[in-house]
Amino acid sequence: MGKTIVFWSPKSGHSGVTACVCAVAAALTTGKEARLTAVAHTSLSKYELEERLDCHMEERRGELYERMGLAALMLHLKKEELKEEAIRHCGILLSGSTLELFPGGGKSLFALQEKEREEVLLALLLEKLPMAYDCLLVDLMPGSNQLSMDAIEKADITVIVLPQDPKVWKKFFSDVFWKLKAKNVFFLL
């Protein structure tokens, strides 16, 4: 079972969370010590992670993204118990054979009610995907939404990226930090 590392910021924009995910993915998947790594995100309506990692995104977007990634995993999960081989067939291979992208979105995920969608995403990201990879990197939605808070609580490692704004730091450390139930926390400022 691989390690799950989630990346999160209390505030959207200007903190560079997605760039951090990409940098860690590059570091983990190159060289002699390359790790089999999967990357995913919980913002199902945006394609920021895909835009940075998948140079063929525009031609793959749409029908392929509907049949791959988190939407495909969800369909497998509904039909049967997810096995490692089925998981590996749902990702988009990006770098040699060590980095796979699990795009978000897909009509099947949006068809679910919000609570059910969050439960399915948590099951896929934190229980199923780590079975097939050495490392899973997840770009979480910013802010104190329930999905991000639950993922932080269940992840092996949490990387909190704070924007360069002392007001945000003060609010985060006085209001938010003490409420987080994270195991291993690293900060990037």
Side-chain angles (χ1 to χ4, degrees):
M1 181 100 160
K3 296 284 185 198
T4 301
I5 304 171
V6 296
F7 295 77
W8 175 79
S9 179
K11 186 173 179 176
S12 66
H14 308 295
S15 56
V17 174
T18 302
C20 290
V21 172
C22 294
V24 171
L28 288 172
T29 59
T30 56
K32 292 179 187 175
E33 301 297 319
R35 302 275 184 249
L36 185 57
T37 303
V39 291
H41 60 86
T42 58
S43 181
L44 301 179
S45 60
K46 296 182 180 178
Y47 290 98
E48 291 174 16
L49 187 62
E50 291 88 343
E51 288 172 351
R52 287 179 173 83
L53 290 173
D54 186 4
C55 62
H56 301 290
M57 181 202 156
E58 286 306 316
E59 52 201 68
R60 294 189 219 233
R61 198 171 182 173
E63 191 175 318
L64 177 63
Y65 272 21
E66 184 68 36
R67 295 189 326 261
M68 300 294 289
L70 298 176
L73 285 174
M74 190 192 82
L75 293 174
H76 279 288
L77 187 62
K78 283 185 170 185
K79 290 180 185 176
E80 60 193 78
E81 181 63 31
L82 268 175
K83 304 269 190 268
E84 184 176 332
E85 185 177 321
I87 293 170
R88 296 290 312 279
H89 287 318
C90 292
I92 297 173
L93 190 62
L94 295 178
S95 173
S97 60
T98 59
L99 179 61
E100 291 190 16
L101 171 66
F102 284 82
K107 294 175 189 146
S108 53
L109 278 169
F110 283 107
L112 299 174
Q113 296 296 321
E114 184 176 353
K115 180 76 174 149
E116 184 182 6
R117 184 170 51 235
E118 288 178 3
E119 290 170 1
V120 168
L121 279 172
L122 276 176
L124 291 173
L125 294 173
L126 301 175
E127 296 168 19
K128 302 300 181 184
L129 276 173
M131 295 183 328
Y133 298 92
D134 297 326
C135 192
L136 169 63
L137 309 177
V138 182
D139 185 349
L140 297 175
M141 288 185 296
S144 298
N145 61 79
Q146 193 61 50
L147 176 61
S148 294
M149 296 300 102
D150 290 346
I152 287 169
E153 184 177 342
K154 294 177 180 181
D156 296 306
I157 298 169
T158 300
V159 178
I160 298 174
V161 185
L162 294 171
Q164 296 295 314
D165 183 346
K167 292 176 190 170
V168 173
W169 301 348
K170 183 177 180 180
K171 181 169 177 46
F172 172 75
F173 285 109
S174 63
D175 298 345
V176 179
F177 178 69
W178 308 111
K179 297 175 189 171
L180 292 177
K181 298 175 184 170
K183 294 178 190 118
N184 299 301
V185 180
F186 297 89
F187 294 96
L188 295 175
L189 301 173

